Amino acid sequence: MNITMLYSKLHRATVTEANLNYVGSITIDVELLAAANMRVGQKIDIVNVNNGERFSTYIIPGVAGEKDICLNGAAARKVHVGDKIIIIAYASMSEEEADAFQPKIVILNDDNSIAQESKGLE
């Protein structure tokens, strides 16, 4: 049996743009993606700390070093520039894999620079 587990997260990212007229998704700086072991095209959940919204979308790459976190398309209606969000990726794994797995947690500063990186939830 496989179960869905937390794979990684970008914690307290700051929304830098909301682009209603784009086709959809979230644009994330590729350096932040690498830090969190996330992939372009990967399905993720987003939790808006400011308003409690929770929704799913997929990742598209942003320019390295720009620290952009941009919600596109319909998702742009669920955030405001400056909102704090949590970007969560999951993985399906066996119970044995889950017992040994440590998720990657990346905590961000207000400017989306990396404040702290860790493995595991403790």
Side-chain angles (χ1 to χ4, degrees):
M1 171 174 61
N2 280 349
I3 56 176
T4 303
M5 298 291 295
L6 172 66
Y7 176 75
S8 65
K9 73 176 178 173
L10 289 166
H11 190 76
R12 294 188 60 82
T14 303
V15 174
T16 58
E17 186 178 352
N19 184 350
L20 184 61
N21 295 313
Y22 194 80
V23 178
S25 66
I26 183 172
T27 304
I28 302 174
D29 180 316
V30 293
E31 291 177 354
L32 297 176
L33 291 179
N37 297 327
M38 292 180 182
R39 299 175 177 268
V40 171
Q42 184 174 15
K43 179 183 177 183
I44 47 92
D45 282 349
I46 297 172
V47 179
N48 187 326
V49 175
N50 292 76
N51 65 20
E53 288 278 0
R54 186 179 191 110
F55 54 97
S56 298
T57 191
Y58 62 93
I59 298 168
I60 62 172
V63 176
E66 294 291 318
K67 308 297 185 235
D68 289 334
I69 302 289
C70 176
L71 278 297
N72 301 303
R77 293 206 182 270
K78 298 194 174 280
V79 299
H80 293 284
V81 171
D83 281 359
K84 293 292 186 186
I85 61 173
I86 303 168
I87 303 165
I88 307 166
Y90 303 94
S92 179
M93 56 187 79
S94 70
E95 291 183 29
E96 295 78 20
E97 290 171 314
D99 288 343
F101 185 75
Q102 296 291 312
K104 181 70 182 274
I105 310 299
V106 179
I107 300 172
L108 301 178
N109 292 311
D110 288 342
D111 65 355
N112 290 331
S113 62
I114 296 172
Q116 181 179 354
E117 296 180 66
S118 62
K119 282 225 170 205
L121 296 174
E122 297 176 13

